[in-house]
Amino acid sequence: MTGRLAFVESPVQLLNVLEWAHARGRGPAPAAAPAPVPPAGADRAPGPDAARASAPVPDSGTGPGTGSAPASGPGTASGPGTAFAPASGPATPPAASAPEPGQGRDAVPAASDDLAIVVLSPSDPMSRGQLRRMAQLARDEGFDVHWQEARAGRGALVRTLRELGGPLRAAERVIVGDPFSRYVQLLLTLFGPRHVTVVDDGTATMEFAAQLAGGERLVRWHRKGDLGPRELLLAPVTSLARRRLAPGPHRTVEIFTSLPVQAPPGTEVTENAYAWTRSRFGPPALTGGADLVGTSLVETGVVDAEHYLRVVGQLARTHGATRYFAHRRETPEKLHRIAVETGLQVVRPELPLELIARRGPVGATIVSFPSTVVHTLPLALAGTGVKVAVCEIAPEWLKATASPRAQGFLAGVVGTASGADRLTPRGGSAADRLEFG
């Protein structure tokens, strides 16, 4: 056997690759506690993800995802992550940053009997920062992690294909976190592996499994069905990638997930119980209050921004929440409004929320909008006494331009979250009253 090669583009994908390896008994685990993640200031340049007001938020560097900030008013926080302070002007443009972990190597390590992880680095500063810390955790577990600047300007695509060609040809199994990624689809069309594993990168796994079972075109759930010029150009790539993500006479496909999926016949579905996370972190100390978990549904054009802001404020008042854990794709402008208008402490987590919550401190109740965490947090926090609740999305919150599939998909995420309590809009204005259903 020639080995396993994983491609990740987000912090959650990398976390779930580690969970997959742990479930398979792969990879050495350190005998001692994990080494602290380097302080944020050591490897992250200030940029739009920080949205600081006047001075950088110091990072204590005491452990993975732990940061501190002076609690000087609404919008600042002390706890796991980087605090968001209300800004009076535009965010500071990104500065030149130090080389990424693993960057500058002559070549990608050849896949061997051990798992090799390749980070196809995104351009989003928040995702890059979280990925740096996750990459360090993976190294602490003994894995070889290569940082690939896959989107670094002209020539990056050709350079990436040249560097990854050999390891891909040699890999017996390829693990991917986002089957909808154009980059991953292109790699799969050029190098068809014998065994494929798909790990979670959010609730899109549910849509991927359903589309695969139905023989449909791979399209993210929040996208409209019309094919634009770019989609038409890439249609042959997407079509071939879909076939190489499906089980066949010469290919096995595994979906490693914490979500309920309806996979096609011949696909192996393996449960992700977050055993690595629970064995390595926590249990957390509980604050006794509540924490809110944000979503990027406004940024993806699904939910109206004004409805969203009103509901966040109402949830904070009803449940006594003090902190708002921001999604990595939420804009600084929206987070500024949340901090100012609700008084919540808005925190940019420096690691996936499953790790942040498991390390603590965390609220006795975590309230989230429909997202992957309403499935994953009950698993990661099993036995800790933390209650997870999910707030349903009322139809009137959706934008007129939202995908026709949006309401049904979001309802499915809520309806299948067996480990979370449900908050249902009832009576009067849906934005004015939310109760446990």
Side-chain angles (χ1 to χ4, degrees), residues 90-417:
T92 307
S97 60
E100 310 290 349
Q103 186 179 344
R105 298 178 184 177
D106 295 332
V108 180
S112 66
D113 190 54
D114 294 325
L115 172 64
I117 302 172
V118 176
V119 178
L120 299 174
S121 177
S123 55
D124 169 55
M126 189 65 191
S127 298
R128 290 169 69 93
Q130 286 190 354
L131 268 168
R132 290 187 186 107
R133 288 158 181 77
M134 281 305 305
Q136 184 58 53
L137 287 180
R139 291 190 181 92
D140 292 341
E141 294 295 301
F143 293 109
D144 194 351
V145 182
H146 174 81
W147 189 283
Q148 185 76 30
E149 285 292 357
R151 297 170 174 84
R154 299 179 64 179
L157 175 60
V158 174
R159 182 173 61 254
T160 297
L161 294 177
R162 183 177 65 248
E163 294 184 9
L164 297 180
L168 263 169
R169 291 188 192 95
E172 180 77 7
R173 178 177 296 275
V174 171
I175 302 104
V176 300
D178 183 6
F180 295 99
S181 164
R182 300 301 191 195
Y183 229 115
V184 167
Q185 290 179 0
L186 180 58
L187 290 172
L188 290 176
T189 59
L190 297 175
F191 312 98
R194 292 181 56 194
H195 306 288
V196 178
T197 293
V198 177
V199 301
D200 285 337
D201 184 39
T203 50
T205 307
M206 299 166 67
E207 192 77 345
F208 162 71
Q211 291 174 7
L212 196 64
E216 303 173 20
R217 182 169 55 93
L218 297 181
V219 181
R220 297 185 192 275
W221 66 268
H222 57 80
R223 298 273 175 86
K224 292 203 169 183
D226 299 336
L227 287 177
R230 185 171 181 269
E231 284 71 25
L232 286 172
L233 180 65
L234 294 172
V237 172
T238 301
S239 178
L240 180 54
R242 193 201 67 77
R243 293 197 296 272
R244 290 190 168 173
L245 285 165
H250 305 291
R251 181 176 300 105
T252 67
V253 176
E254 175 193 24
I255 300 178
F256 181 72
T257 181
S258 59
L259 305 167
V261 297
Q262 296 179 345
T267 302
E268 178 187 0
V269 178
T270 307
E271 180 187 7
N272 178 5
Y274 281 86
W276 177 80
T277 296
R278 287 185 282 109
S279 68
R280 301 288 277 114
F281 302 99
L286 305 187
T287 64
D291 291 325
L292 299 186
V293 179
T295 176
S296 60
L297 289 174
V298 171
E299 285 73 12
T300 53
V302 175
V303 171
D304 176 77
E306 297 305 318
H307 269 302
Y308 184 80
L309 287 166
R310 284 198 294 271
V311 172
V312 167
Q314 202 274 337
L315 287 171
R317 291 189 298 272
T318 301
H319 298 281
T322 57
R323 294 188 301 180
Y324 178 96
F325 286 98
H327 188 279
R328 56 193 171 86
R329 293 195 183 99
E330 289 187 83
T331 64
E333 294 77 16
K334 187 180 82 174
L335 296 178
H336 173 71
R337 286 192 61 185
I338 288 173
V340 171
E341 296 176 19
T342 69
L344 285 166
Q345 297 174 327
V346 180
V347 179
R348 288 278 206 181
E350 294 180 345
L351 287 170
L353 193 58
E354 293 81 4
L355 301 185
I356 295 294
R358 185 72 195 179
R359 282 179 54 86
V362 68
T365 300
I366 298 177
V367 180
S368 174
F369 293 94
S371 74
T372 317
V373 299
V374 302
H375 292 266
T376 61
L377 285 179
L379 296 172
L381 295 171
T384 64
V386 177
K387 180 171 65 176
V388 178
V390 54
C391 176
E392 293 182 335
I393 301 295
E396 55 265 40
W397 301 355
L398 300 181
K399 297 184 69 172
T401 55
S403 165
R405 297 186 299 164
Q407 183 64 40
F409 181 81
L410 293 171
V413 172
V414 174
T416 55

Side-chain angles (χ1 to χ4, degrees), residues 52-66:
R52 296 168 175 81
S54 58
V57 178
D59 205 337
S60 64
T62 57
T66 303

